[in-house]
Amino acid sequence: MNNALRHAGASAIAIHLDYTLKQLQITITDNGCGFEMDRLTSGFGIKGMRQRADLIGAQLHIQSRLNQGTQIELSLPLG
């Protein structure tokens, strides 16, 4: 959410939380400027998110398109 506000110029951010006894899934979607996935910079934002997801055993999926916003989905198996 910080990146959506600070860097993407998003005017809307949606957060969806889905919880079952087997999995926790969080999806964050914004309408910001997006980015080209194959042109990521060497910054620590996404790299740090991936490292933190790995530390807790979660899967992190990021989809973004230039001028079409970004969607980040974190899935954490439970139990």
Side-chain angles (χ1 to χ4, degrees):
M1 288 179 40
N2 186 49
N3 285 349
L5 293 171
R6 292 181 68 198
H7 304 294
S11 63
I13 301 172
I15 302 170
H16 179 81
L17 177 67
D18 187 31
Y19 170 80
T20 68
L21 293 177
K22 294 183 179 185
Q23 179 174 290
L24 170 67
Q25 184 171 321
I26 301 169
T27 305
I28 302 172
T29 306
D30 71 58
N31 67 346
C33 64
F35 55 89
E36 294 179 32
M37 294 293 295
D38 59 345
R39 300 183 109 197
L40 293 177
T41 64
S42 59
F44 292 106
I46 291 176
K47 182 178 180 180
M49 288 191 301
R50 290 192 190 284
Q51 289 174 341
R52 290 189 297 274
D54 285 344
L55 284 173
I56 63 171
Q59 296 286 324
L60 182 70
H61 299 282
I62 301 172
Q63 295 180 345
S64 188
R65 291 184 129 183
L66 199 55
N67 300 316
Q68 295 184 24
T70 300
Q71 181 178 62
I72 299 174
E73 180 180 290
L74 180 85
S75 298
L76 177 65
L78 301 174

